[in-house]
Amino acid sequence: SKILSPTDEMKLAADKMGIVDKLRAENKVALATAQAQLSATDQQLGGEAKATADNAVIKQYNAKLAELETQRIDYLDKYTAKHPKVIETEDAIANLKSKLQQEIAKVASLQAPSDNPVLTSKFGSEAAISVAESNLAELERLDKRNQEDVERLSEKEQKYLSLMRDVSVADEIYIMLAKRLEEAKVAEVAVSTEVQVVCLLYTSPSP
């Protein structure tokens, strides 16, 4: 193919597709992680815990969170990550996630009065799956729209974009998986494996 000098139109298409690909990779990894965590917690709980799908407050938070994530994706398709609208939306997402976690902890405490991190993890995984699936659906819509722009480019330019996209997605997934692996290693080290044996000495009362 010799040398290809990307046109402005091609650069714009590459930037838009790159943003969508990065967000899609993030959400795919988040979805797979949440599904694995949910499966593990379900096994630990033996199916005794109820799901949060019917909880009205959590359902409302999840819907609002999905709406904000969609808005963020739409903004990132138009602006840079430092744009005020993007920053404002990300702050709103962080605030809502905090409220969601508080509500999840509340629901978990109602189902199990004692502190139960496994139950909290289950509900958190359910919420993460809901948001990730919603994000992937929105990203699919944006990808189809961007693909229409790509189809107006020459065959050589389309091939270049396709190859560049493959490399970019592979890099993003590798970086994210490497980060998750390090987080898992840190979490594993943090779990105490010490076992304390408490002996109770019974002395019979004197006659």
Side-chain angles (χ1 to χ4, degrees):
S1 297
K2 297 184 180 179
I3 297 175
L4 176 66
S5 179
T7 61
D8 290 340
E9 185 180 6
M10 183 179 173
K11 289 178 182 177
L12 180 61
D15 289 343
K16 286 187 174 183
M17 292 174 70
I19 291 170
V20 171
D21 286 340
K22 180 179 179 180
L23 292 173
R24 181 158 47 196
E26 288 175 356
N27 280 279
K28 281 186 175 180
V29 171
L31 178 60
T33 302
Q35 288 173 333
Q37 289 174 339
L38 181 59
S39 177
T41 53
D42 278 342
Q43 287 181 0
Q44 287 179 278
L45 294 168
E48 294 179 2
K50 296 179 182 178
T52 57
D54 295 330
N55 182 279
V57 178
I58 291 180
K59 195 172 182 180
Q60 183 180 359
Y61 280 156
N62 280 338
K64 182 61 179 176
L65 189 57
E67 181 183 330
L68 285 172
E69 288 279 7
T70 298
Q71 190 176 65
R72 172 177 173 266
I73 290 169
D74 189 52
Y75 282 153
L76 286 172
D77 192 50
K78 301 174 183 176
Y79 313 117
T80 67
K82 295 182 179 180
H83 192 280
K85 288 188 176 181
V86 176
I87 295 174
E88 182 182 353
T89 305
E90 288 180 341
D91 288 343
I93 288 173
N95 183 48
L96 189 59
K97 282 184 176 179
S98 177
K99 291 181 179 179
L100 177 61
Q101 288 304 314
Q102 291 174 12
E103 185 63 26
I104 285 173
K106 187 188 299 182
V107 173
S109 66
L110 289 174
Q111 288 201 28
S114 60
D115 182 26
N116 193 337
V118 177
L119 198 58
T120 303
S121 175
K122 169 185 169 64
F123 295 158
S125 297
E126 289 173 347
I129 289 171
S130 175
V131 172
E133 288 177 341
S134 175
N135 287 349
L136 287 170
E138 175 63 15
L139 289 165
E140 186 66 25
R141 183 187 68 80
L142 280 179
D143 191 42
K144 288 180 179 178
R145 190 177 72 183
N146 291 338
Q147 195 62 39
E148 293 174 1
D149 295 333
V150 173
E151 289 173 358
R152 290 196 287 266
L153 301 174
S154 69
E155 185 179 346
K156 184 182 291 186
E157 288 175 322
Q158 289 186 40
K159 184 178 180 181
Y160 172 84
L161 279 176
S162 177
L163 293 172
M164 184 181 69
R165 194 175 187 183
D166 289 343
V167 173
S168 177
V169 170
D171 284 344
E172 288 294 338
I173 292 177
Y174 172 79
I175 291 170
M176 282 184 286
L177 290 178
K179 183 179 178 181
R180 295 286 176 125
L181 178 60
E182 288 304 313
E183 290 173 351
K185 287 180 179 179
V186 171
E188 186 178 11
V189 172
V191 175
S192 176
T193 56
E194 295 180 359
V195 177
Q196 293 183 344
V197 179
V198 179
C199 296
L200 297 177
L201 180 62
Y202 174 75
T203 304
S204 59
S206 301

